[in-house]
Amino acid sequence: MRGVGAALAEKLQRLGVNQVQDLLFVLPLRYEDRTQVVPIGALVPGTRVAVEGEVQLAEVVFRRQRQLLCRISDGSGFLTLRFFHFSSAQKEALARGTRLRCFGEIRRGPLGIEIVHPEYRRVAADGSSSFEETLTPIYPGTEGLTQGRLRAFVNEALREVSRASVRDWVPAEVLDPLGLPALKDALEYVHNPPREAQLAELAAGRHPAQRRLAFEELLAHHLSLRLLKNSSRAEPALPLDDPDRLAKRFIESLPFPLTGAQKRALKEVEADLLRDQPAVRLVQGDVGCGKTIVAAAAAARAAGSGMQAVLMAPTELLAEQHWRNFCQWFHPMHLPVALVSGSQSAKVRRSALDAIASGEVRIIVGTHALFQEGIDFSNLALIIVDEQHRFGVQQRLRLQEKGRKQGRFPHQLIMTATPIPRTLAMTAYADLDISVIDELPPGRTPVKTVVVPEERREEVVARITAACRDGRQVYWVCPLIEESDEVRSQAAEDTAALLAEALPDVRVGLVHGRMPPAKKDQAMLAFKAGKIQLLVATTVIEVGVDVPNATLMVIENAERMGLAQLHQLRGRVGRGAEASSCVLLYRSPLSELARERLKVIRETSDGFEIARRDMELRGPGELLGTRQTGLAQLRVADLVRDSDLLPRVQQAAELMLSAYPANIAPLAARWIGAGERYGRVG
Ligand code: ADP
Ligand code: MG
């Protein structure tokens, strides 16, 4: 393209543009209506509008900071333009009487309404200069490239790129029934919507042209994950047929029968492990549904096949808890279990690593850090990742690669408590097989949740006394004052001291992120053993910790926590047969969002419902940890807004995989930038 040198090409590359055609797929984030000018007297703060007026005065003033103020008028009122960065030439050009057309956000300033750093240009005084013909698209920004310049490039690309070269890789038999426009038409429209276009419809992303692009984008992502799945499944793995029947013996040794849902999930896992291709399965189930048993049975199957299995947990606390459970379950079966943890002495750790390398121990538990350390396994056949919903495609691939031995790849099992609506999971995790445990073990009483203002803290403290008197245990989760671990830990220490003072008869313990691991461990163990009655903790206890005798949880500053986090925390109680409750302490005033969150968490304990509401409230990004799933880079599609398209995306993917395989690679290449491309696609 003319006028694009090396420096500019590099800037464009940051937007994923490597060739002229790619410019068409840099899609607007939003639109502005600059097709008409609003009289100054009719301006409303908070709106973004075009304004025209004559310069009355331009002066440099010092108010905390040097700034240029320019006052314009159109006869209906005055408007101030405020610049913090400006050149003297710029000031000179704003001579009294100069006519300007400005664009920007109207806000209330100290001198009346104003625009800070408006886009502006001089226009002829006779009012003859033309207006924009179409709505103005606003593109994702990149440093050193103005919107105006980018707009010009995109429009040039629209003229240059012929209809033939923007091929519709999505077959007509998919598109026609959906009533969506052809690709080139959709692109023309979104880059230059006519002035009569509905701004509201465009802002909501509901125009058919946008839907057309969103559909294609989702399809591209889904297909590339499906290809990845196919290629990773094509590698060899060792079937785990468990001739020693350790998995069966383990299940039979449990003091309770598995729930129907556990049985179903386990059956699916076992079918996977029997194959000579690597399984990559996600086991999804709400907190407390009993995923650990499924993980343990899979590990026993590997051990019973003479191979090693490793279970990785997100925190040391959890790793140690799993290790303890595993020891309890497997020692009677004469199966040693190794723990690899950061808090071990060098000597203990060394001997664990030696036993792993020699193959003497077949079941290994550790944190996710385990794999960064390049541990030498003797014959690893199964990797289990626990409580990890932010475990992306790239990480799964890396894990598979690292566990490779003599050309064979390990099976992978990922356990997550973040329930994701099914259609969404099938899109975001299209490279995985999914099992759902949708049933809690019997005998659980639902946790009663109450929302209480901070002012009634004393009543809450009285409840702690009552619970402890009844022989129950209590969690107190400390506020999330700041992101800093240090500040949080300090707050937890202070709270523990205050509570210990207020509750002289209660044995108070403390865990937080900055305690030495051995001390943390000690406190957790003491809590589990009932020696500590009230455990004051930071959110380190968020995932997985299992103490069935704990029946009361108090969460401070609950208004600052997200829904998923509150649900996870609350999942620490209600694990036994006893009735449990969760007290959410909040500090006023509550924001609209916080109020809504607390209402959701009070009203429902169904993780799927909470996930659905969470997505409505703040989008799926957080929920999925989209950075890792690759869906963070979605340019037009929105997983919530366009969720009705997801089933169609899946149907279309099936059709393309079977009937149009050659279209898949170019489609994926169009939407998924080279840098972010998944695995071996394209
Ligand atoms: P999560 O799915 O949140 O990881 P866990 O595996 O920690 O849940 O299980 C929660 C609790 O439920 C544990 O105490 C576990 O022993 C118990 N449990 C698991 N399965 C069953 C079952 N089928 N019947 C009764 N209790 C069970
Ligand atoms: Mg768990």
Side-chain angles (χ1 to χ4, degrees), residues 395-413:
Q395 283 151 303
R396 295 198 281 274
L397 285 174
R398 232 174 290 135
L399 209 55
Q400 192 177 49
E401 195 53 48
K402 279 199 168 174
R404 170 191 198 144
K405 198 123 189 183
Q406 284 136 17
R408 287 198 212 271
F409 291 86
H411 300 283
Q412 283 187 61
L413 203 56

Side-chain angles (χ1 to χ4, degrees), residues 256-259 262 285-293 321-322 329 386-387 417 441-442 444 544 546 548 572 575:
F256 45 70
L258 295 190
T259 63
Q262 279 172 317
D286 212 346
V287 283
C289 71
K291 292 181 291 292
T292 318
I293 305 279
Q321 176 180 288
H322 281 320
W329 291 327
D386 185 41
E387 299 290 0
R444 301 264 170 91
D546 188 36
R572 299 309 107 217
R575 303 194 140 234

